[in-house]
């Protein structure tokens, strides 16, 4: 039996420079898609995948994230005295469902470095890593899809997506061979090699790693052994490549739509599509969009 995955790490210490000035005094993870912060989408995906222990790796200026998942007595008192029960349950909802802890990344030295900060909290068990910039809308939560693969193979699993060749330099890219799984050969891969942000024209494929990972605890040793890579940062992709010397790693082309909410255009696309899907807003928003002479 493989150990159950009970914990998820949410790196959230980046400076969010792509969204300045909005992120000067507010963490980018708190930018809302319609009315919910990015990080809450990711936390809800984790809950719906069966993981309730949430470890957020924060940095300076990120206290709004802690407040967001904390109890807000004044607000709750106000909503309950005004009998706003629906809003009250929205406000209480997520915090009630998770055990949350924070660990500090003093300097933004890379994704590998951020994950390493959670080493003591994770201990010797498998865990998930969730990047809240990648918002994934799917029937079965993306993390749940990866967990199913982990539970079968007992090995680390990364989420994969095909990207256009001119975008490979923005991602971790894998070299991988398809594996037969559940009778289908198209979506599961065994990773042979990987490279973080390959130079244009040198990517081994167009299969990019998207911000969802199930990792076995040996990854911490690998992170400790690698040198800084792309951008002078300790890269999680490089640690996975190191781990690949001794352990198999799988990649799953997940089902669902992924939005790159860390990018302005991606953020706008996510906002429009999420709004169109909302029961309370969708119809009116759709009508409005039709009036735009595009
Ligand atoms: C990070 C990872 C990269 C991955 C990407 C997915 O990069 O380092 O391997 O492909 O997330 O969003 P970042 O977007 O932080 O530059």
């Amino acid at each position: 039996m493989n150990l159950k995955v009970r914990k998820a790490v949410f790196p959230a210490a980046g400076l969010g420079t792509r969204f300045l000035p909005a992120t000067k005094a507010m963490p980018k993870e708190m930018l809302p898609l319609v009315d919910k912060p990015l990080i809450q989408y990711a936390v809800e995906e984790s809950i719906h995948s069966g993981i309730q222990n949430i470890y957020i790796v924060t940095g300076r200026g990120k206290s709004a994230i802690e407040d967001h998942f904390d109890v807000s007595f004044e607000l709750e008192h106000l909503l309950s005295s005004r009998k706003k029960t629906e809003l009250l349950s929205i406000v209480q909802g997520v915090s009630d469902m998770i055990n949350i802890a924070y660990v500090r990344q003093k300097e933004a030295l890379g994704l590998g470095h951020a994950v390493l900060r959670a080493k003591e909290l994770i201990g010797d068990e498998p865990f998930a890593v969730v990047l809240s910039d990648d918002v994934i809308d799917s029937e079965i939560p993306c993390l749940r899809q990866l967990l199913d693969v982990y539970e079968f193979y007992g090995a680390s699993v990364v989420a994969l997506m095909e990207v256009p060749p001119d975008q490979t330099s923005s991602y971790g890219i894998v070299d991988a061979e398809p594996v037969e799984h559940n009778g289908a050969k198209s979506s599961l891969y065994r990773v042979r090699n990987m490279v973080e942000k390959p130079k244009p024209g040198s990517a081994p494929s167009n299969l990019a790693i998207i911000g969802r990972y199930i990792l076995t605890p040996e990854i911490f040793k690998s992170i400790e052994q690698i040198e800084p890579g792309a951008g002078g940062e300790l890269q999680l992709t490089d640690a996975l490549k190191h781990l690949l010397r001794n352990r198999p790693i799988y990649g799953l082309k997940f089902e669902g739509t992924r939005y790159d909410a860390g990018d302005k255009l991606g953020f706008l696309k996510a906002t429009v599509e999420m709004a169109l899907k909302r029961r309370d807003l969708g119809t009116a928003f759709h009508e409005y969009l039709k009036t735009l002479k595009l």
Side-chain angles (χ1 to χ4, degrees), residues 18 111 131 134 170-172 196-197 208-211 213 235 237 258:
R18 282 198 275 178
L111 182 55
L131 308 186
D134 285 321
S170 304
Y171 295 93
E196 178 68 10
K197 307 210 166 75
I209 302 173
I210 299 303
Y213 310 74
Q235 297 292 351
T237 306
R258 172 258 185 178

Side-chain angles (χ1 to χ4, degrees), residues 47-101:
I47 296 169
H48 295 142
S49 302
I51 300 178
Q52 275 98 14
N53 297 291
I54 306 292
Y55 300 128
I56 302 185
V57 184
T58 64
R60 281 160 55 83
K62 299 281 184 169
S63 52
I65 299 178
E66 299 180 26
D67 291 341
H68 181 72
F69 290 111
D70 204 353
V71 174
S72 171
F73 288 111
E74 304 91 320
L75 183 62
E76 291 184 19
H77 177 72
L78 183 91
L79 293 174
S80 93
S81 65
R82 293 191 183 166
K83 308 253 178 306
K84 304 251 184 210
T85 44
E86 207 171 308
L87 276 180
L88 182 64
S89 71
I90 288 175
V91 165
Q92 290 173 330
V94 189
S95 340
D96 281 357
M97 287 161 85
I98 53 177
N99 298 316
I100 196 156

Side-chain angles (χ1 to χ4, degrees), residues 69-196:
F69 290 111
D70 204 353
V71 174
S72 171
F73 288 111
E74 304 91 320
L75 183 62
E76 291 184 19
H77 177 72
L78 183 91
L79 293 174
S80 93
S81 65
R82 293 191 183 166
K83 308 253 178 306
K84 304 251 184 210
T85 44
E86 207 171 308
L87 276 180
L88 182 64
S89 71
I90 288 175
V91 165
Q92 290 173 330
V94 189
S95 340
D96 281 357
M97 287 161 85
I98 53 177
N99 298 316
I100 196 156
Y102 298 87
V103 57
R104 198 87 167 187
Q105 183 185 17
K106 289 184 198 150
E107 283 176 280
L109 297 178
L111 182 55
H113 183 259
V115 172
L116 188 58
R117 300 273 71 72
K119 181 180 168 187
E120 299 305 322
L121 291 168
I122 298 295
D124 196 23
E125 52 181 288
F127 63 103
V129 172
V130 183
L131 308 186
S132 47
D133 277 5
D134 285 321
V135 175
I136 301 175
D137 183 29
S138 57
E139 210 168 298
I140 302 172
C142 179
L143 213 49
R144 185 64 252 166
Q145 297 176 43
L146 298 191
L147 285 166
D148 289 344
V149 176
Y150 166 78
E151 282 164 14
F152 192 85
Y153 291 96
S156 296
V157 191
V158 298
L160 295 177
M161 185 180 115
E162 285 180 34
V163 297
D166 64 341
Q167 289 177 20
T168 50
S169 57
S170 304
Y171 295 93
I173 301 289
V174 301
D175 171 23
E177 59 184 325
V179 175
E180 199 161 325
H181 182 67
N182 289 337
K185 215 179 174 180
S186 57
S187 58
L188 186 67
Y189 293 80
R190 174 123 180 212
V191 176
R192 284 190 290 237
N193 199 357
M194 53 179 89
V195 48
E196 178 68 10

Side-chain angles (χ1 to χ4, degrees), residues 163-294:
V163 297
D166 64 341
Q167 289 177 20
T168 50
S169 57
S170 304
Y171 295 93
I173 301 289
V174 301
D175 171 23
E177 59 184 325
V179 175
E180 199 161 325
H181 182 67
N182 289 337
K185 215 179 174 180
S186 57
S187 58
L188 186 67
Y189 293 80
R190 174 123 180 212
V191 176
R192 284 190 290 237
N193 199 357
M194 53 179 89
V195 48
E196 178 68 10
K197 307 210 166 75
K199 296 212 167 63
S202 70
S205 77
N206 67 338
L207 278 175
I209 302 173
I210 299 303
R212 302 288 184 277
Y213 310 74
I214 306 296
L215 302 173
T216 53
E218 300 84 35
I219 194 70
F220 293 120
K221 270 209 190 87
S222 291
I223 301 173
E224 282 164 343
Q225 284 175 35
I226 58 167
E227 298 291 327
E233 297 185 338
L234 270 191
Q235 297 292 351
L236 186 58
T237 306
D238 293 341
L240 282 161
K241 183 175 165 165
H242 183 274
L243 184 66
L244 204 49
R245 295 184 196 166
N246 307 308
R247 305 275 164 154
I249 297 177
Y250 290 87
L252 180 73
K253 244 188 341 179
F254 57 93
E255 281 173 26
T257 307
R258 172 258 185 178
Y259 301 98
D260 179 4
D263 165 79
K264 281 176 204 164
L265 186 58
F267 185 85
L268 287 172
K269 289 180 187 172
T271 302
V272 170
E273 294 196 30
M274 294 291 184
L276 284 171
K277 281 193 173 176
R278 286 273 296 250
R279 241 184 280 156
D280 56 342
L281 284 171
T283 314
F285 189 48
H286 188 254
E287 289 307 313
Y288 163 70
L289 290 179
K290 281 203 298 196
T291 67
L292 298 178
K293 309 249 174 315
L294 297 173

